[in-house]
């Protein structure tokens, strides 16, 4: 119980510090990245670019990335948010107007971060290119008052787990089919 209390206190401290210490111009730049990532627009555009210009590997990366986003969103928004009813950080902690645009759903976990981490983690080469915008989305979610740091960390973990699942699925299918064929 003490660990949970300390975790919540750490969440509170980091969230309040992010809200007041981040320079306004940096916050505005973060907002631009987050707006691009809303409803997975940024990741769909990245997937389209990879599919168009990346050849076979680009198409595979695009499909893997979008598949990982779907898995992460189903787990995050379809399951975890329905099981939790964590309120968003209090509005009075934030000296900027970004706090007015946050959703009404549960704060835990961060769906934006889950999608960003899923897309970035689904294909190593594409992930290296997408890691910076994914990290910026995560930081923005705390700065804007939409989430606590633990919400973002949980979203990132869900996204990376979704990416790992999607990356390992072809291997798992091959093993299953090979094993099934041997028994027949």
């Amino acid at each position: 119980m003490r660990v949970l209390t300390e975790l919540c206190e750490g969440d509170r401290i980091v969230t309040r510090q992010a809200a007041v210490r981040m320079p306004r111009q940096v916050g505005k730049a973060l907002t631009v990245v987050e707006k691009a990532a809303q409803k997975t627009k940024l990741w769909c555009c990245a997937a389209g670019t990879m599919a168009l210009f990346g050849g076979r590997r680009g198409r595979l990366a695009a499909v893997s990335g979008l598949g990982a986003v779907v898995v992460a969103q189903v787990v995050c928004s379809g399951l975890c948010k329905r099981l939790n009813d964590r309120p968003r950080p209090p509005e009075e902690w934030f000296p900027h107007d970004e706090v007015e645009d946050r959703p009404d759903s549960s704060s835990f976990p961060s769906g934006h971060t889950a999608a960003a981490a899923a897309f970035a983690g689904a294909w190593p080469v594409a992930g290296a290119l997408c890691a910076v915008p994914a990290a910026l989305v995560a930081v923005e979610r705390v700065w804007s008052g939409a989430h606590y740091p633990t919400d973002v960390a949980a979203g990132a973990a869900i996204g990376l787990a979704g990416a790992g699942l999607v990356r390992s699925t072809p291997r798992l299918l091959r093993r299953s089919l090979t094993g099934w064929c041997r028994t027949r």
Side-chain angles (χ1 to χ4, degrees), residues 62-178:
V63 169
S64 296
L66 293 178
V69 168
V70 168
V71 169
Q73 288 297 299
V74 167
V75 171
C76 189
S77 299
L79 180 65
C80 294
K81 282 188 180 279
R82 294 181 190 275
L83 297 175
N84 291 290
D85 193 23
R86 185 178 194 185
R88 305 277 172 174
E91 288 186 27
E92 58 271 9
W93 290 0
F94 301 90
H96 49 73
D97 60 357
E98 293 297 321
V99 74
E100 296 168 5
D101 291 338
R102 59 195 193 165
D104 293 332
S105 62
S106 174
S107 178
F108 185 86
S110 169
H112 280 77
T113 306
F119 192 84
W123 195 258
V125 175
L129 298 173
C130 296
V132 171
L136 292 175
V137 167
V139 170
E140 189 280 339
R141 301 314 289 159
V142 175
W143 173 79
S144 69
H147 293 285
Y148 291 99
T150 53
D151 302 338
V152 170
I158 290 168
L160 291 174
L165 179 67
V166 166
R167 276 197 333 259
S168 66
T169 297
R171 246 188 336 261
L172 292 172
L173 284 174
R174 277 196 309 272
R175 275 193 222 148
S176 295
L177 290 174
T178 302

Side-chain angles (χ1 to χ4, degrees), residues 35-66:
K35 295 266 188 249
Q38 279 182 353
K39 301 191 187 311
T40 67
K41 291 181 294 217
L42 179 61
W43 317 121
C44 288
C45 287
T49 302
M50 290 187 291
L52 278 173
F53 302 110
R56 182 180 179 280
R57 290 176 60 98
R59 288 188 297 278
L60 186 57
V63 169
S64 296
L66 293 178

